């Protein structure tokens, strides 16, 4: 009997999953690879997380889409692996594949754990970023009928939020922001964006290129509230390159004269929110002044002030949902693994299960960081392949029948390309490279008529 060609499912069509698929194909090992995603569209965070005004960064799509050549990697969009209605359980998927690579990322906003956090107008960054990126799960606009907004956190997501909220609508027209979001941002009342940073200017997690962009907006200026810290922080004495550049940029802004721009981005250092105020919606946030201990911990000083804001967006990092059927470390929001091999509580490998990207290492790093991760995971999988048993149901037709039984009608690569072409056509009308089609599911229903194969 001819030996069955190994089959690998990559769950998650974001950068980490697609880099893993590419690494598997590039290895030259005879293996069939399917990439599944719960959404009908590929590219994950590149499509739904990278800010729309970072047009160049999104061009990585051209690289990420390469494995989907004819006869190489298959795309099965709109297929959710997990529990609940319409989801295909992992143990069922496993019977169709020799191995599974999980690349599902970290989709849950971390919480602050402070009173008032559940009021309308208090939201996680994922909701707002998802909204202006056209994510089908996040169609509700944030409350932009307010003059002042607080963004909590000093990472690149906080920068993205501050920048998009402070941009003019005209600056966003050439981007792929959905029309609905563009309209809401055009009529936004927001004038002051307060970025609440619990450490000092030297200890922000921003990358300098992204930080510098805050100073290049058409009608917004940066206002630095440093409590005099910058007077004693000398960039030349800082050895870490990223920290020194950040410090130089912030110092330049602090020295600049106030301008007359319509919008302001306030960088408020040594400030941490302790209470969100309001009855029916957010009306303010109580902020405590913080200090650093000699070992670098953040502590409250007890000194409080109130900022009158109608929207609080927390950009304090992400965590992940556990993957049913796999071990999970709730503290780090990751699946325990060694070089990408999933390991159980005793540290023994779970045969045929692999992870890559944020679900493997936590929500850190830029898009390119996922490539190294994926190459390592793919290498581990390929090394294990000879010892893994073949799937019980290796025929792709069997998978098609199972998906059908679960009421899942996958979107294949051809159908996706048709939608992509439509987005580009609509983008050309607006003067952008592409525009997100808001009615994604309806569009797909109209454009695709293909089965799994
Ligand atoms: P991040 O870089 O980990 O930043 C999280 C920020 O939240 C930190 O400043 C952290 O402060 C702060 N924070 C955490 N808990 C807090 C609390 N309870 N109160 C106040 N502040 C709190 O996370 P991220 O911004 O979500 O970004 C995730 C990853 O994606 C990062 O690697 C980032 O570089 C990347 N990313 C890149 C780009 C880009 O390249 N353009 C864009 C977006 C995201 P402490 O430092 O004090 O903990």
């Amino acid at each position: 009997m001819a030996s069955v060609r190994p089959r690998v499912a990559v769950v998650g069509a974001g950068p980490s999953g697609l880099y893993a698929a590419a690494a598997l194909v590039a290895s030259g090992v005879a293996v069939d690879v399917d990439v599944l995603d719960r959404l009908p569209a590929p590219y994950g965070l590149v499509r739904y997380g990278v800010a729309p005004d970072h047009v160049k960064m999104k061009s990585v799509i051209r690289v990420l889409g390469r494995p989907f050549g004819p006869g190489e990697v298959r795309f099965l969009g709109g297929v959710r692996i997990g529990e609940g209605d319409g989801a295909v359980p992992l143990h069922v998927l496993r019977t169709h594949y020799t191995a599974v690579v999980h690349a599902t990322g970290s989709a849950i906003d971390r919480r602050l754990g402070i009173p008032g956090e559940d009021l309308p107008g208090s939201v996680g960054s994922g909701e707002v970023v998802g909204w202006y990126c056209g994510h089908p799960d996040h169609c509700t606009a944030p409350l932009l009928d307010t003059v002042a907004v607080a963004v909590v956190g000093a990472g690149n997501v906080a920068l993205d939020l501050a920048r998009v909220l402070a941009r003019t609508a005209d600056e966003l027209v050439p981007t792929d922001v959905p029309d609905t979001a563009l309209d809401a941002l055009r009529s936004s009342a927001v004038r002051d964006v307060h970025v609440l940073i619990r450490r000092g200017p030297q200890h922000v997690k921003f990358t300098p290129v992204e930080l510098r962009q805050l100073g290049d907006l058409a009608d917004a200026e940066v206002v630095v509230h440093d409590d005099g810290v910058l007077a004693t922080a000398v960039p030349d004495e800082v050895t870490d390159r990223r920290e020194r550049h950040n410090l130089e940029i912030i110092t330049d802004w602090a020295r600049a004269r106030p301008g007359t721009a319509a919008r302001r981005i306030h960088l408020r250092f040594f400030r941490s929110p302790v209470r969100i105020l309001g009855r029916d919606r957010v009306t303010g946030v109580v902020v405590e002044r913080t200090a650093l201990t000699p070992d670098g911990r953040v502590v409250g000083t007890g000194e409080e002030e109130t900022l009158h804001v109608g929207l609080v967006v927390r950009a304090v990092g992400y965590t992940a949902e556990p993957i049913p059927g796999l071990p999970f470390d709730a503290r780090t929001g990751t699946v325990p693994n060694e070089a990408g091999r999933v390991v159980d509580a005793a540290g023994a490998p779970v045969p045929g299960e692999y992870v890559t990207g944020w679900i493997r290492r936590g929500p850190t790093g830029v898009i390119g960081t996922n490539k190294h991760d994926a190459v390592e995971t793919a290498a581990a999988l390929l090394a294990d392949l000879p010892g893994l048993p073949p799937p019980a149901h290796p025929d792709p037709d069997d998978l098609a029948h199972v998906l059908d039984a679960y009421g899942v009608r996958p979107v294949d690569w051809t159908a996706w390309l048709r939608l992509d072409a439509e987005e580009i056509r609509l983008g050309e009308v607006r003067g952008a490279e592409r525009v997100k089609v808001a009615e994604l599911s309806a569009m797909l229903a109209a454009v695709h008529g293909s089965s799994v194969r």
Side-chain angles (χ1 to χ4, degrees):
M1 200 178 98
S3 68
V4 175
R5 207 171 138 99
R7 289 170 49 74
V8 176
V10 176
V11 181
S16 56
L18 295 183
Y19 279 131
L24 290 168
V25 172
S27 69
V29 175
V31 57
D32 289 329
V33 181
D34 288 352
V35 177
L36 294 74
D37 201 289
R38 73 182 182 91
L39 295 177
Y43 305 126
L45 271 191
V46 176
R47 189 173 157 87
Y48 295 119
V50 170
D53 57 342
H54 278 168
V55 178
K56 238 183 178 171
M57 214 178 275
K58 285 182 185 263
S59 63
V60 71
I61 277 177
R62 291 188 193 113
V63 175
L64 294 175
R66 272 183 206 151
F68 293 109
E72 291 198 327
V73 172
R74 285 195 316 170
F75 177 58
L76 302 175
V79 181
R80 187 160 68 83
I81 306 305
E83 290 172 340
D85 268 3
V88 180
L90 178 57
H91 68 87
V92 173
L93 186 78
R94 287 291 284 115
T95 64
H96 296 269
Y97 293 95
T98 320
V100 177
V101 179
H102 300 268
T104 45
S106 319
I108 301 176
D109 288 303
R110 282 201 182 275
R111 290 176 64 85
L112 292 164
I114 61 173
E117 201 170 355
D118 293 316
L119 279 168
S122 165
V123 287
S125 57
E127 285 178 58
V128 182
V129 171
W131 169 73
Y132 62 56
C133 286
H135 193 296
D137 286 355
H138 301 293
C139 297
T140 310
L143 298 173
L144 298 177
D145 56 347
T146 172
V147 172
V149 171
V151 174
V152 186
N156 283 334
V157 172
L159 286 183
D160 284 347
L161 286 157
R163 203 179 60 250
V164 171
L165 292 174
R167 279 210 190 273
T168 62
D170 285 350
E171 286 177 282
L172 294 169
V173 166
T175 75
D176 72 349
V177 71
D179 285 343
T180 44
L182 184 61
D183 288 346
L185 288 163
R186 196 185 294 283
S187 51
S188 159
V190 173
R191 293 293 172 267
D192 291 281
V193 181
H194 301 275
V195 183
L196 303 180
I197 300 164
R198 65 180 177 176
R199 296 173 190 272
Q202 191 184 327
H203 303 111
V204 288
K205 286 195 173 159
F206 308 141
T207 45
V209 175
E210 272 69 30
L211 179 61
R212 204 180 290 282
Q213 287 172 350
L214 281 194
D216 294 334
L217 307 190
D219 198 12
E221 66 200 35
V222 181
V223 183
V224 176
H225 305 255
D226 73 317
D227 289 343
V229 173
L230 288 167
T232 55
V234 183
D236 286 350
E237 291 174 5
V238 176
T239 49
D240 181 278
R241 229 168 131 234
R242 186 184 61 83
E243 290 183 3
R244 188 172 64 248
H245 283 170
N246 281 337
L247 204 49
E248 283 166 354
I249 295 164
I250 296 165
T251 305
D252 283 350
W253 285 333
R255 287 191 187 130
R257 285 164 178 273
T260 55
R263 286 177 170 151
R264 287 156 298 279
I265 298 171
H266 303 266
L267 299 183
R268 294 186 175 273
F269 294 97
F270 292 108
R271 295 288 185 280
S272 196
V274 287
R275 277 189 306 287
I276 297 175
L277 307 174
R279 274 167 76 91
D280 306 320
R281 64 167 286 177
V282 171
T283 55
V285 58
V286 178
V287 177
E288 183 179 21
R289 198 168 166 171
T290 55
L292 290 186
T293 61
D295 61 351
R297 279 178 308 112
V298 178
V299 288
T301 62
E303 193 184 319
E304 293 184 352
E305 64 187 320
T306 299
L307 289 177
H308 297 284
V309 296
L311 176 67
V312 175
V313 189
R314 53 182 193 278
V316 294
Y318 298 101
T319 186
E321 289 227 56
I323 298 174
L326 291 191
F328 187 69
D329 180 344
R331 192 181 51 83
T332 57
T334 58
V335 171
N337 71 92
E338 274 169 23
R341 290 182 180 93
V342 175
V343 294
D344 64 18
V350 180
E353 304 282 3
Y354 300 83
V355 282
T356 191
W358 282 6
I359 192 69
R360 171 182 164 179
R361 67 173 194 278
T364 59
V366 293
I367 292 166
T369 318
N370 295 299
K371 190 169 179 182
H372 170 262
D373 228 30
V375 166
E376 196 177 52
T377 296
L381 188 158
L382 292 167
D384 296 349
L385 213 45
L388 294 174
H393 307 291
D395 187 337
D397 276 343
D398 291 340
L399 177 66
H401 293 137
V402 167
L403 294 180
D404 201 41
Y406 279 91
V408 178
R409 198 165 160 239
V411 173
D412 66 12
W413 192 246
T414 309
W416 157 252
L417 288 181
R418 286 185 2 235
L419 176 70
D420 196 36
E422 181 62 8
E423 288 193 339
I424 290 166
R425 191 186 66 76
L426 290 174
E428 280 165 1
V429 173
R430 193 171 90 185
E433 198 168 312
R434 70 178 69 215
V435 168
K436 295 264 170 55
V437 177
E439 301 290 327
L440 190 68
S441 312
M443 280 289 305
L444 279 163
V447 295
H448 98 88
S450 55
S451 67
V452 179
R453 292 208 71 165

